[in-house]
Structure formats: structure tokens, C-alpha cells
Amino acid sequence: MNDKELVAHEALKYVKNNSIIGLGTGSTANLFIQALAQKIKKESLDIKVVASSTVSQIKAIESRLNYISLDQIDTIDLYVDGADEVTHNLEVLKGRGYDLLREKLLARASKQFIVIGDQSKIVTKIGEKFPIPIEISPIAWKITQNLIGKIAVNCILRPNTAGDAFAITSDGNYVLDCQFNYTNLKDLSDVIAKTPGVIEYGIFQNIANIALIAENNRVSTITLEA
């Protein structure tokens, strides 16, 4: 079992019967979905799931999980997702998988939000390894990009995988990938959030409860109390 598989199975310890679980998106989240499906079948659990993206929705249905749509819930018991970056203060960067709005909704709606990943995700500062993604409205997107560009070092509209058009989120929005020089993450978040045209952004601060990080076949736990 590799580190990603190990941490995905470790997250199963937080799964309880008769609950609603939010499913993340990405390679590590996919491993959790597979492991969850096996656990539910083996233990005959009554669990419903919601998805953070169309991709994870399809994965859930293919895994024969009891899938419900986002408009059917107002809260969930557990949300398990990967991350692009995680600090030891439990600041999290997400969004390379596009669907920032859905991910933030599930993270905020959950009673417990658990981030899973390997040691490569650990950083000292958000934005250290990856640009900070910002989901924006397609309406007048150039204006939003220009406004964000005034505080960013670099800010580009994300292309799709083929490189022949813009990347589109599950909700029909565009994504800016931006690099910033900043001293206070909360101040940066506030400025981004107040910019017209911004739907959501990839900084998850004071939201995650636990990060499970695997390295060399061992899992360490990061909590705000640590």
C-alpha cells in the first residue's frame, strides 16, 4: 500500500454509520471513494454521499454509493478531500481540480473536514508551490482579471487540458491562477473575496479540522490544537 492509499484508508476511521459524507476530487480523494465503497459493502453501512465535482459524482455512482445532490442537503457529517498545499497551521490550498465553489460549500457545511495527502503537500506558506486559483464569473471576466492583477504578481486565465479553450468549472465558471507576494493570508483572502466577479477562491483558512499526512508508510495528524 502506497502513501496515498494508506492515508485514504486512515480517513475511514472517521466514517460513522447513518451519516452523509462529502467526497472530494483528485487522485487521493478517488482512493478514499474506493475504500469507502468497500467499507460500506463489507459492514452494510447506511451512508449517503454528495460530491464536490462532476468527476467525483461519476466516481460515486460507478462505485454504487448512495449519491444525493447538493440541493438535498444543508449540512453534512464529514467531508474528506485532498489538497494542493497544507501548512502546519492547517491552512489549505485547493483548486487545481477546478471546482472551488462546490469544494468550499462542502467544507463549510461539514461538521468535520478532513484533508488527506502525502508529505509533498506540506508547505510553510500557501502559494509556495502552486498559484492560488480563483473561480470567477465568465461575465466581464477580463475586468475581474484586471482587478485581481493589480494585487497579483502574475494572474492568468486557466486553459483547458487540451489547451484550445478556457477551463470551465462544473458550474460554468472560469478559473484564474494567480501568484501573490503577501504577508498576511487572511488579508489577502479578504481582498480576493471582495473583488467583483469572484465566485470563490482556493484558500481554505480556519476550515479544516484535521489533516492526515502520509510519509514513508506512516500517517501523521495535524490539528489546530497541535
Side-chain angles (χ1 to χ4, degrees):
M1 187 178 293
N2 62 35
D3 281 346
K4 286 188 175 183
E5 291 171 331
L6 182 65
V7 79
H9 281 80
E10 184 72 16
L12 291 178
K13 294 180 180 179
Y14 298 86
V15 171
K16 297 179 181 179
N17 195 20
N18 300 309
S19 63
I20 300 175
I21 298 177
L23 306 176
T25 303
S27 58
T28 310
N30 279 344
L31 292 170
F32 173 74
I33 294 173
Q34 294 171 8
L36 177 64
Q38 293 169 0
K39 180 180 177 68
I40 290 172
K41 183 178 180 180
K42 182 179 180 180
E43 300 178 19
S44 300
L45 302 179
D46 182 11
I47 288 175
K48 298 181 177 65
V49 301
V50 291
S52 63
S53 68
T54 302
V55 172
S56 55
Q57 174 185 338
I58 293 171
K59 186 74 174 177
I61 294 171
E62 289 177 345
S63 300
R64 299 185 182 279
L65 295 175
N66 186 5
Y67 174 80
I68 58 175
S69 62
L70 284 172
D71 60 4
Q72 293 178 271
I73 57 108
D74 55 16
T75 185
I76 61 176
D77 298 288
L78 175 68
Y79 177 43
V80 178
D81 201 356
D84 302 318
E85 297 179 346
V86 182
T87 72
H88 285 288
N89 294 323
L90 264 186
E91 297 163 336
V92 177
L93 180 70
K94 294 181 53 55
R96 290 178 64 79
Y98 296 10
D99 291 308
L100 289 160
L101 176 59
R102 295 192 184 195
E103 290 176 343
K104 190 71 72 75
L105 280 169
L106 288 179
R108 287 289 191 186
S110 65
K111 297 174 183 175
Q112 189 171 45
F113 172 29
I114 297 178
V115 176
I116 56 176
D118 57 30
Q119 186 63 28
S120 68
K121 307 298 184 180
I122 298 296
V123 296
T124 57
K125 183 179 181 179
I126 292 301
E128 185 177 300
K129 295 182 178 181
F130 297 105
I132 294 173
I134 305 172
E135 186 170 350
I136 64 170
S137 170
I139 301 172
W141 66 267
K142 288 185 178 181
I143 293 176
T144 304
Q145 182 184 33
N146 182 57
L147 292 171
I148 294 293
K150 292 178 180 179
I151 60 169
V153 175
N154 187 43
C155 191
I156 63 170
L157 195 66
R158 183 183 296 181
N160 64 7
T161 304
D164 57 2
F166 300 145
I168 305 294
T169 72
S170 295
D171 297 299
N173 300 315
Y174 295 163
V175 179
L176 295 174
D177 286 318
C178 306
Q179 295 170 311
F180 300 91
N181 283 331
Y182 69 91
T183 54
N184 185 288
L185 188 62
K186 183 181 184 304
D187 290 345
L188 175 62
S189 295
D190 290 344
V191 173
I192 294 173
K194 292 176 182 177
T195 303
V198 170
I199 304 296
E200 196 45 83
Y201 54 98
I203 300 169
F204 287 58
Q205 191 175 24
N206 299 321
I207 303 177
N209 301 103
I210 297 170
L212 300 175
I213 305 298
E215 182 180 22
N216 297 326
N217 293 114
R218 296 184 64 181
V219 176
S220 60
T221 302
I222 300 174
T223 67
L224 290 178
E225 294 76 29

